[in-house]
Amino acid sequence: MATKKTTTATKTAPAKNASAKKPAAKKQPAPKTAKATSVKKPAATKTTDKKMSQMDAALAVLKKARKPMSCKEMVEAMATAKLWTSPGGKTPDATLYAAILRDLRKGTDARFKKAAPGRFTNA
């Protein structure tokens, strides 16, 4: 079998002219200006305007009670003292329990200590 060579015209994309491409514009650095010196603000003090977190409120309740408490007791004491109220959750005591267990993993930096199963004190 003899093979016959045929030539076919193929269309190729026109070559782009290298001179048609525009060079990328270099960004000019912003001019340096003198920084204004700022006056240091005094250290922030705790105000009653800011809401207390659940963990901070639990710690305050434990310090006041001076005895080991369960999470349910702490949540009730926080609500009674108007330190913290649940934003609408169904199980704020379970949320507090989980947060305290996360805090206990910090070791010596933990703010809570486990006194008995389900009962905690401040560190």
Side-chain angles (χ1 to χ4, degrees):
M1 270 207 271
T3 59
K4 187 176 181 182
K5 288 187 177 181
T6 59
T7 58
T8 58
T10 59
K11 292 185 177 180
T12 59
K16 291 187 178 181
N17 189 356
S19 63
K21 189 174 182 182
K22 293 182 181 178
K26 292 184 181 179
K27 291 185 179 180
Q28 296 292 330
K32 293 183 179 180
T33 58
K35 290 184 180 179
T37 57
S38 61
V39 178
K40 289 186 177 182
K41 295 180 180 178
T45 57
K46 290 189 177 183
T47 60
T48 56
D49 297 342
K50 187 176 178 185
K51 288 185 177 181
M52 191 179 271
S53 72
Q54 185 182 28
M55 293 287 284
D56 292 336
L59 199 59
V61 165
L62 284 173
K63 285 181 181 178
K64 187 176 179 184
R66 301 176 110 185
K67 65 175 185 172
M69 296 176 77
S70 70
C71 291
K72 192 165 191 165
E73 293 170 343
M74 284 187 260
V75 169
E76 290 170 359
M78 289 185 282
T80 304
K82 296 182 181 178
L83 294 175
W84 180 85
T85 56
S86 175
K90 294 181 180 180
T91 56
D93 53 326
T95 304
L96 179 62
Y97 185 80
I100 290 174
L101 290 182
R102 280 193 309 271
D103 185 67
L104 287 174
R105 284 191 254 158
K106 293 180 182 176
T108 57
D109 294 335
R111 298 185 285 176
F112 297 90
K113 281 195 287 189
K114 195 166 191 172
R119 295 199 170 267
F120 303 96
T121 61
N122 59 329

